[in-house]
Amino acid sequence: MQLYRAHILVCGGTGCVSSGSKAIQEALTDELVKNNLDKEVKVVETGCHGFCETGPIVIVYPEGTFYCRVSTEDVPEIIAEHLVKGRIVKRLLFKAPVTEEQVPSYKEIAFYRKQQRVALRNCGHINPDNINEYIGRDGYEALSKVLTGMTPQQVIDDMKKSGLRGRGGGGFSTGLKWQFASNSPGPKKYIICNADEGDPGAFMDRSVLEGDPHSVLEGMMIAAYAIGADEGYIYVRAEYPLAIKRLKTAIAQAEELGLLGENIMGSNFSCTLHIKEGAGAFVCGEETALMASIEGSRGMPNPRPPFPAVKGLFGKPSNINNVETYANVPIIYLHGADKFASVGTEKSKGTKVFALTGKLRNTGLAEVPMGISLREIIFDIGGGIINDKKFKAVQIGGPSGGCIPEQHLDTPVDYDSLTALGAMMGSGGLVIMDETSCMVDMARYFLDFTQKESCGKCIPCREGTKRMLEILQKICGGNGVPEDITTLETLGAVIKNTALCGLGTTAPNPVLATLRYFRDEFEAHIYDKKCPAGVCTAMLEYKIVTDNCKGCGACARVCPVGAITGEKKEPHEIDTSKCIKCGSCIEKCKFNAIVKG
Amino acid sequence: MIKSPEDLKRLREEAKALTSIRAGQGVEIIVGMGTCGIAAGAREVMSAILDELSKREMSDVRVSQTGCIGMCEKEVLVDVVRPGETRITYGRVKPQDITRIINSHVTNGQIVEDLVVAKLD
Amino acid sequence: MANVTLTINGQKVSVPEGITVLEAAQSHGFFVPTFCYEKDLTAPGACRICVVEIKGMRNLPPSCVTTVTPGMEIETESPAVFEARKTILELLVANHPLDCMTCEKSGSCKLQDYAYRYGVTSPTRFEGDKHKFAVDDSNPYVFRDLNKCILCGKCVATCRAVSDRNVIDFAFRGFNTKIATFMDTELKDSSCVYCNRCVAICPVGALSDKNMTGKGRGWELDKKEVTCTFCDAGCKFDVNYRDGKVVGVTANSAASGRPLCLKGRLGTEFMNNPDKTALPLINKDGEFVETSWEEALGIGPIVEKINALKK
């Protein structure tokens, strides 16, 4: 086997690909050939490293040097300096946000230091298109252990002992789910992977599929063995073309090696897997709708019971878990259920991947042990709020979750404490908001999303979310009336109580949680006709502070509608009837002479 | 085709080499590749090291390079770092010395005393 | 089958195991409203109007898909249930044309009945957008006004219950969800054969039978079950009479099978045609003239022969 003295890992996750990592990969390969180093140094395309903010990411091993925001022009320098002369290219290193200190190695960056990577263990470290790299890192060893030394019931018992709970949103015990499916009689059962990740701002499943598809396949095989399934589907959203491509490669490679298909590893266990591309509806992430979609029907949820474990896909007992859940499975059998359960809190075991988005410095993916505080995630890993603004709230759990304000930031993150705060773990999307975010507007945004994605089957969700949205639009438009708050609360409660599926019953959460913690913002909109964050344009008025205005005319020149007039060197004026509140004038003014409010 | 757990194990042992360099463990060999080092033949030494390691299938040894450390007249400089042991710097290394350094020091911990120019804790 | 004992509205009752809470309540005379539930056809648990309160259960479960268990304590009209139903009805009324006085279904409309029963007043708390779908008056048989549709889905289920039909299904999302034909065409451009099963099952005024339009309110009609003689399938359906005169035919079951077809349903048109004749017409020199059955069927010589043999 050819030995290489150095590996250059280029991130091939969707984030880095869209910022140009493919071209960098090609440039690196060319440059190595030019320098006669192609026999010594290997370029490897990996999955997502999580720190998407700093992409495209290039890591050079054995030193583990972390280069960020690399461009093709930087490539000759990386090769000439780092790989020929052994000198790190300092200007491309990650700079610590506060100290401005350059951090040479991957492991020392604050973003990674507090993380504990289980589901993401291989993401960014292996080439996802090469099954051997997965096998080299103990891949398929858990499956081998399970097939040769454990009965299906022992597999389920270990899963229960591990305390793993569904990572897709509900947080149901994975072991119990497997037990139910196993208890259902019948020769034909299905194993399903829910990869229809659709929450705005969530991309953990995509990263796992792109970066380590085999961990999901192995997890599914173990589950299939445990419940007695011989066929499975991965329902992956069609908007994830790269994930689909890598999954297809992974399935083909696993089949070729006999790790998937008939008589896996020479045992009596057989299982085949299919990929089903999603139909583009958010509700298809709901398990009964997902199964309807696989069957070829419109993706609409059905009432449970019967649960999928009893009557699932094509009417057969089925087990559905999410991508991140399956990615955790092999580790439990590789290192033992007790070891897995030693991380986390009493009722929430292991680690959880969070997608950090919004107004914070380090956006990206972070996997942390359960029980860590939101403050640590946002401020230590996420690097705090951009532009030194003040933190206001974090929306957790996407459109089904709720917001959590400053005073609860020290709450340990686990399923139950988040639910108690009126939010939910959900798939793990964290949207961070600062003082310039309007909470009413945020609630309106999420309601707009759920309303558009409602399948229309049940009345509370279809008609109810529409009316809640209209009320929020009215409040944001400056036309709210005092009764609106009560209507939102009572209607929200009825929807929660009566809607058919998880999408509907959780749809009012963003509004109800916002009303719980930021009622004053609603009241300011309704009674004072003011948007404290200055977001809702209908209630904003732009004014020129005469004392500060030097009459430079910059604002008048940039105004797209000619609303600003004035003599040169004299204070200008804004005609509010013409003003469209675009904010261009504020950006242009050097003298802080324009205010909105 | 994997027909048994043993097949998987065999494949894993082979495949470990693919990624072991990224694990950051094991013995490290560092070659001085400043202008002085390259002029003194560091490239040839580097090739010899890689050839030797390949021949012996020693995938857990990390080979890296460093710049000039100011001892230009002793180039080519090659450092060997065994985990938990003193860092040994060899000087005026020629490609034909590599077999000896790898055989006795890297593999068996026996320092090749006649080539040593420095020992660092 | 064994029985289970449970409590409905404080009353201990015994019902067969395996039935739904809705069936249990109705069999003991407790009122539970339903839109999307249709015995023997579908129970999608979609409309949520049939929700009840069951002790120990999270949320308000829909009674049509919840199976009874021993010791269950059910409240069919608790304050929470009442509020939920009223809210659901308000939501439906808020998005409805409210033209009951001219609506064909007035008097036999579930939405009208329930809105009244639960004290819904208009305007509701939820005034806002209303649907503005164009009505489908494209064919001689079915009048479709989707502005009145509550999306209970029963029409979809009954259409699907006939093999090789499946003319309509849900389409679009959110507030814009509606029942549509393939490619959302008018009915006349679809594969619909106008069997009118969907019309018979529609609980509101979204679908109506054009042949019966204006011929009588629901309460003015008498229904009589007949067996159709038009073909050997022998379907049973209802013939509707007003003041002793047949005004139309409606399917009396929407379950699988073929409870009614276009031919059977249109028999009344023939029956009430003032120009109907007892004898066939034959085209002679470009004009239709009355003739005998023997001539029309071309069996005159045979009849003559038979008659001759009889002698």
Side-chain angles (χ1 to χ4, degrees), chain A residues 156-401:
Chain A
I156 295 172
D157 289 342
D158 266 19
M159 182 47 76
K160 286 187 198 157
K161 219 192 312 167
S162 76
L164 178 67
R165 291 169 69 171
R167 299 292 193 243
F172 191 76
S173 156
T174 306
L176 278 182
K177 215 176 201 183
W178 290 12
Q179 185 72 68
F180 292 146
S182 158
N183 290 351
S184 291
K188 184 76 190 174
K189 294 182 187 177
Y190 288 99
I191 195 85
I192 304 168
C193 174
N194 185 345
D196 193 49
E197 182 175 57
D199 283 2
F203 49 98
M204 52 289 280
D205 292 349
R206 190 194 72 209
S207 289
V208 172
L209 292 175
E210 286 176 3
D212 193 16
H214 287 287
S215 68
V216 179
L217 300 187
E218 189 180 359
M220 287 182 78
M221 289 298 99
I222 293 172
Y225 175 75
I227 69 159
D230 66 352
E231 198 176 351
Y233 285 87
I234 304 172
Y235 189 90
V236 50
R237 58 188 308 216
E239 293 87 340
Y240 284 175
L242 186 58
I244 292 169
K245 190 178 134 245
R246 298 233 166 107
L247 268 175
K248 281 185 177 157
T249 311
I251 289 177
Q253 289 181 349
E255 278 173 348
E256 201 182 320
L257 279 181
L259 294 168
L260 196 58
E262 298 292 310
N263 298 97
I264 293 171
M265 283 192 240
S267 71
N268 291 328
F269 171 67
S270 304
C271 190
T272 50
L273 288 182
H274 316 281
I275 294 173
K276 168 80 188 170
E277 289 180 33
F282 177 67
V283 73
C284 287
E286 198 280 341
E287 56 184 21
T288 57
L290 183 149
M291 292 188 304
S293 183
I294 293 179
E295 289 169 7
S297 302
R298 175 179 161 101
M300 296 220 281
N302 285 305
R304 296 173 304 182
F307 285 93
V310 177
K311 195 164 173 267
L313 186 61
F314 301 114
K316 305 285 184 239
S318 309
N319 179 68
I320 302 194
N321 287 125
N322 138 287
V323 170
E324 194 187 329
T325 314
Y326 281 127
N328 271 296
V329 169
I331 284 298
I332 292 171
Y333 298 95
L334 204 56
H335 301 319
D338 294 328
K339 176 110 192 278
F340 183 87
S342 68
V343 176
T345 63
E346 195 198 336
K347 286 189 175 153
S348 303
K349 300 296 186 192
T351 55
K352 175 79 189 90
V353 185
F354 289 98
L356 307 177
T357 55
K359 306 272 180 79
L360 82 178
R361 281 204 183 89
N362 305 334
T363 54
L365 277 192
E367 184 168 358
V368 290
M370 297 273 193
I372 191 173
S373 72
L374 279 168
R375 194 182 297 281
E376 286 172 276
I377 299 176
I378 296 167
F379 288 90
D380 297 346
I381 295 172
I385 308 295
I386 38 170
N387 301 329
D388 296 313
K389 291 269 194 297
K390 202 169 160 298
F391 171 87
K392 187 188 259 181
V394 50
Q395 173 77 17
I396 176 162
S400 311

Side-chain angles (χ1 to χ4, degrees), chain A residues 395-446:
Chain A
Q395 173 77 17
I396 176 162
S400 311
C403 60
I404 291 175
E406 169 88 39
Q407 68 260 34
H408 291 302
L409 275 190
D410 293 308
T411 315
V413 171
D414 64 27
Y415 290 98
D416 312 290
S417 49
L418 289 178
T419 311
L421 289 176
M424 67 186 254
M425 182 79 80
S427 56
L430 296 181
V431 184
I432 284 86
M433 285 159 287
D434 68 8
E435 54 192 322
T436 64
S437 318
C438 168
M439 300 310 286
V440 187
D441 185 63
M442 189 275 308
R444 184 200 55 78
Y445 167 80
F446 280 114

Side-chain angles (χ1 to χ4, degrees), chain B:
Chain B
M1 195 74 182
I2 295 172
K3 290 250 185 248
S4 67
E6 290 70 42
D7 287 348
L8 179 70
K9 207 171 160 193
R10 213 168 304 129
L11 181 58
R12 182 168 61 245
E13 288 314 315
E14 280 175 41
K16 276 221 154 89
L18 285 172
T19 61
S20 57
I21 188 172
R22 301 168 213 161
Q25 288 149 355
V27 187
E28 189 174 9
I29 302 176
I30 304 152
V31 184
M33 299 272 269
T35 307
C36 46
I38 293 170
R43 288 229 51 85
E44 290 72 26
V45 171
M46 173 66 90
S47 303
I49 293 171
L50 292 173
D51 284 349
E52 191 65 26
L53 292 175
S54 291
K55 229 185 287 167
R56 293 162 180 257
E57 296 191 350
M58 290 167 69
S59 65
D60 52 341
V61 175
R62 291 182 292 147
V63 182
S64 59
Q65 69 284 64
T66 186
C68 172
I69 56 162
M71 251 197 306
C72 310
E73 71 120 22
K74 292 269 200 304
E75 291 283 5
V76 176
L77 292 165
V78 173
D79 287 16
V80 173
V81 190
R82 285 171 58 90
E85 292 177 21
T86 310
R87 174 175 182 153
I88 304 298
T89 304
Y90 295 107
R92 296 209 175 115
V93 179
K94 306 261 167 311
Q96 54 269 32
D97 299 326
I98 293 304
T99 314
R100 222 155 38 105
I101 292 174
I102 289 180
N103 194 21
S104 63
H105 189 181
V106 176
T107 318
N108 297 314
Q110 302 296 321
I111 296 165
V112 185
E113 296 289 352
D114 57 308
L115 292 172
V116 172
V117 295
K119 293 185 182 182
L120 280 174
D121 281 322

Side-chain angles (χ1 to χ4, degrees), chain A residues 303-305, chain C residues 18-24 43 45 48 50-52 54 57 60-69 72 74:
Chain A
R304 296 173 304 182
Chain C
I19 70 166
T20 63
V21 170
L22 176 70
E23 288 165 331
R48 320 307 277 184
C50 74
V51 290
V52 293
I54 298 176
M57 280 203 189
L60 300 175
S63 59
C64 68
V65 289
T66 307
T67 313
V68 291
T69 54
M72 228 178 207
I74 302 157

Side-chain angles (χ1 to χ4, degrees), chain A residues 481-501:
Chain A
V481 290
E483 301 87 83
D484 285 341
I485 292 184
T486 333
T487 311
L488 283 176
E489 281 175 332
T490 50
L491 179 55
V494 169
I495 297 173
K496 267 178 93 81
N497 253 336
T498 59
L500 198 167
C501 77

